[in-house]
């Protein structure tokens, strides 16, 4: 859904080329500060996530009148070109064979984390319906669908759900705040548990020898595939991402036109099946999955997901241009909703871990591969052992594929509950 201007812009900067330069410089500044090994910036970003600043600084520019997000065409460009490209590049990194070699418990705990997010959405919606009904009134369900996308897949899936369910930018911004706060508190809790892993594993009756096998296998895998990208590698990565986007655009429009000719009593529009953007996202994700079974998957070693992430952060900055900062405090009860949601997710994980005697490593990484995606899941994995970080990346990238589908199902369920 393109965001169009409703009144003449009074912003100081109205040239999109200049705005794009400002956003690019802002993202560079944020990542530079977040990468500092010591000093004031390290202390600042130890408290404030870099992702939040990528949303917040463009929102400040918009709030003070430096730029006008509603009058800019940058968001539509990033949404239509960069989002499908990033989804494809994330998905080509999936190595289903390597994930299966992690053993059934790793997969079970990851999928339990996914199920926990979907169940948590329903439980928190029902709970707030009793505690504070106003919080889940109106279109709150659609904002929750974007959060489900973030907590199953990541930012790309979150942005995709924003478009599929036509979520208001203000509501989206509110759930971004919930996402940042709740997800980071949850990661801190997981990191708190890790030094106590041996005690927890004994209580669960878990066999931790599999962790040693995982470490050795992933050390070998990482050493075999990692390389410095060449110009050819980068051009191939761009070709895959933007080529898939072009194919998605090419196929989505006639597909939607055909669907619109189907009987109206089927009410396909209720499932967003008449949305061109929905099919663009589905096609891009599916093509990425299919490419993961080809030699294109080797492009991950040259940084395919990093290029996809860079595209995603441009989209994040353009979304931030539309945020109303004052609205972030309009619904404080949303944070309670997020807390109930994440606790439901965590409770289900630990119940299943106890039942199947899974090590804490699988529970923690299975959770963070959903909630934090590839951006932070390796943090939790490397806290067990640095060589295990790729395990989290493999699971998190798998989540990018599931995120689009599972978040969509969650949104449909919530919409039905909201009436």
């Amino acid at each position: 859904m393109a965001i169009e201007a409703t009144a003449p812009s009074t912003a100081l900067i109205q040239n999109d080329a200049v705005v794009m330069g400002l956003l690019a410089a802002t993202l560079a500044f944020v990542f530079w500060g977040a990468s500092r090994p010591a000093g004031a910036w390290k202390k600042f970003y130890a408290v404030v996530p870099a992702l939040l600043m990528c949303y917040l600084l463009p929102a400040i520019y918009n709030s003070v009148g430096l730029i006008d997000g509603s009058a800019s065409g940058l968001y539509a460009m990033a949404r239509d070109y960069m989002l499908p490209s990033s989804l494809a590049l994330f998905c080509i990194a999936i190595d289903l064979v390597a994930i299966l070699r992690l053993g059934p418990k790793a997969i079970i705990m990851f999928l339990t984390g996914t199920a926990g997010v979907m169940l948590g959405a329903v439980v928190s919606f029902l709970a707030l319906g009793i505690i504070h009904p106003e919080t889940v009134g109106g279109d709150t369900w659609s904002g929750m669908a974007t959060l489900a996308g973030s907590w199953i897949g990541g930012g790309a899936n979150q942005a995709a759900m924003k478009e599929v369910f036509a979520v208001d930018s203000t509501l989206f911004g509110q759930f971004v705040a919930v996402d940042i706060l709740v997800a980071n508190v949850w990661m801190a809790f997981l990191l708190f548990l890790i030094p106590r892993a041996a005690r927890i594993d004994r209580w669960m009756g878990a066999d931790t020898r599999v962790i040693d096998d995982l470490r050795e296998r992933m050390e070998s895998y990482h050493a075999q595939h990692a390389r410095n990208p060449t110009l050819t590698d980068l051009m191939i990565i761009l070709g895959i991402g933007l080529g898939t986007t072009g194919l998605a655009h090419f196929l989505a429009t006639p597909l939607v036109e055909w669907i619109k000719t189907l009987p109206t009593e089927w009410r396909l529009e209720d499932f967003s099946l008449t949305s061109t953007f929905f099919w663009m996202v589905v096609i891009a994700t599916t093509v990425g999955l299919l490419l993961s079974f080809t030699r294109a998957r080797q492009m991950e070693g040259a940084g395919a997901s990093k290029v996809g992430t860079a595209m995603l952060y441009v989209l994040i900055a353009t979304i931030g241009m539309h945020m109303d900062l004052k609205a972030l405090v309009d619904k404080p009860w949303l944070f309670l909703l997020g807390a109930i949601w994440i606790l439901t997710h965590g409770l289900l994980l630990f119940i299943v871990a106890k039942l199947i005697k899974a090590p804490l490593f699988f529970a923690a990484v299975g959770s963070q591969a959903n909630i934090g995606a590839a951006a932070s899941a390796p943090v939790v994995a490397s806290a067990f052992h640095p060589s295990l970080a790729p395990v989290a990346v493999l699971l998190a990238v798998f989540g990018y594929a599931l995120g689009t589908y599972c978040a969509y199902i969650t949104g449909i369920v919530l919409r039905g509950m909201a009436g």
Side-chain angles (χ1 to χ4, degrees):
M1 179 182 65
I3 301 174
E4 299 177 354
T6 57
S9 176
T10 59
L12 180 63
I13 302 176
Q14 299 185 27
N15 186 323
D16 269 354
V18 180
V19 175
M20 185 70 244
L22 175 63
L23 294 181
T26 299
L27 292 173
F29 176 72
V30 170
F31 276 86
W32 173 84
S35 68
R36 295 301 88 193
W41 286 117
K42 180 176 177 59
K43 295 178 181 178
F44 176 79
Y45 282 105
V47 178
V48 181
L51 174 61
L52 178 60
M53 296 304 296
C54 293
Y55 281 108
L56 185 59
L57 289 177
I60 292 174
Y61 300 157
N62 186 57
S63 300
V64 301
L66 181 62
I67 61 178
D68 184 353
S70 64
S72 172
L74 292 178
Y75 171 70
M77 176 276 298
R79 177 201 63 198
D80 292 344
Y81 301 157
M82 294 193 176
L83 175 57
S85 296
S86 67
L87 286 171
L89 293 176
F90 287 140
C91 287
I92 66 168
I94 295 173
D95 186 344
L96 293 179
V97 175
I99 291 177
L100 292 175
R101 287 175 181 168
L102 299 178
K105 291 182 180 180
I107 303 298
I108 289 171
M109 294 313 300
F110 171 76
L111 294 177
T112 298
T114 301
V117 173
M118 299 175 74
L119 177 63
V122 174
V123 171
S124 60
F125 189 92
L126 292 173
L128 265 293
I130 297 172
I131 298 171
H132 196 263
E134 293 85 352
T135 298
V136 292
D139 293 331
T140 299
W141 65 268
S142 64
M144 294 178 68
T146 68
L147 187 54
S150 176
W151 283 0
I152 296 174
N157 307 86
Q158 182 182 34
M161 291 304 102
K162 177 184 185 297
E163 293 305 317
V164 168
F165 292 110
V167 182
D168 176 76
S169 293
T170 296
L171 180 63
F172 181 79
Q174 292 168 341
F175 274 95
V176 166
V178 174
D179 182 4
I180 294 295
L181 177 63
V182 175
N184 278 279
V185 170
W186 179 248
M187 185 173 73
F189 174 70
L190 293 178
L191 293 174
F192 171 80
L193 293 180
I194 290 173
R196 299 155 180 82
R199 193 184 322 162
I200 295 172
D201 287 336
R202 284 195 299 270
W203 175 73
M204 290 183 174
D207 182 0
T208 58
R209 288 178 297 179
V210 67
I211 305 301
D212 296 329
D213 295 336
L214 279 170
R215 183 182 65 248
E216 294 174 3
R217 184 159 62 243
M218 296 315 299
E219 285 177 341
S220 175
Y221 179 90
H222 184 71
Q224 181 181 355
H225 291 85
R227 69 179 190 272
N228 290 326
T230 65
L231 177 59
T232 299
D233 289 330
L234 293 175
M235 295 306 294
I236 291 173
I237 290 171
L238 287 176
I240 291 172
L242 294 175
T244 299
T245 296
L247 179 63
H249 278 264
F250 179 74
L251 296 178
T253 299
L255 180 59
V256 168
E257 292 302 318
W258 173 74
I259 290 174
K260 288 180 178 179
T261 65
L262 298 177
T264 56
E265 57 267 23
W266 292 2
R267 300 188 62 82
L268 297 178
E269 66 276 5
D270 290 347
F271 300 93
S272 299
L273 297 181
T274 56
S275 166
T276 301
F277 186 82
F278 169 77
W279 286 110
M280 284 169 50
V281 169
V282 169
I283 292 169
T285 300
T286 303
V287 171
L289 284 171
L290 293 175
L291 288 174
S292 72
F293 292 97
T294 71
R295 294 181 63 184
R297 182 168 53 83
Q298 297 176 4
M299 287 297 102
E300 172 58 18
S305 63
K306 292 180 180 178
V307 174
T309 301
M311 293 179 173
L312 177 61
Y313 271 91
V314 173
L315 173 65
I316 288 170
T318 61
I319 291 174
M321 293 167 58
H322 299 277
M323 288 175 58
D324 181 359
L325 296 179
K326 298 184 292 297
L328 295 179
V329 296
D330 286 350
K331 292 186 177 181
W333 288 94
L334 287 179
F335 292 99
L336 177 60
L337 182 146
I340 295 173
W341 191 337
I342 204 76
L343 288 174
T344 303
H345 159 85
L347 181 61
L348 182 63
L349 270 169
F350 282 97
I351 288 174
V352 174
K354 176 65 175 176
L355 290 175
I356 68 173
K357 298 182 179 181
L360 178 65
F361 172 77
F362 287 142
V365 172
S367 172
Q368 199 61 24
N370 279 281
I371 303 299
S376 60
V379 174
V380 171
S382 62
F384 286 91
H385 190 282
S387 66
L388 294 174
V391 176
V393 174
L394 286 172
L395 290 174
V397 170
F398 189 35
Y400 285 123
L402 288 181
T404 298
Y405 307 114
C406 293
Y408 176 70
I409 293 170
T410 302
I412 292 296
V413 171
L414 291 172
R415 182 167 64 183
M417 293 172 63

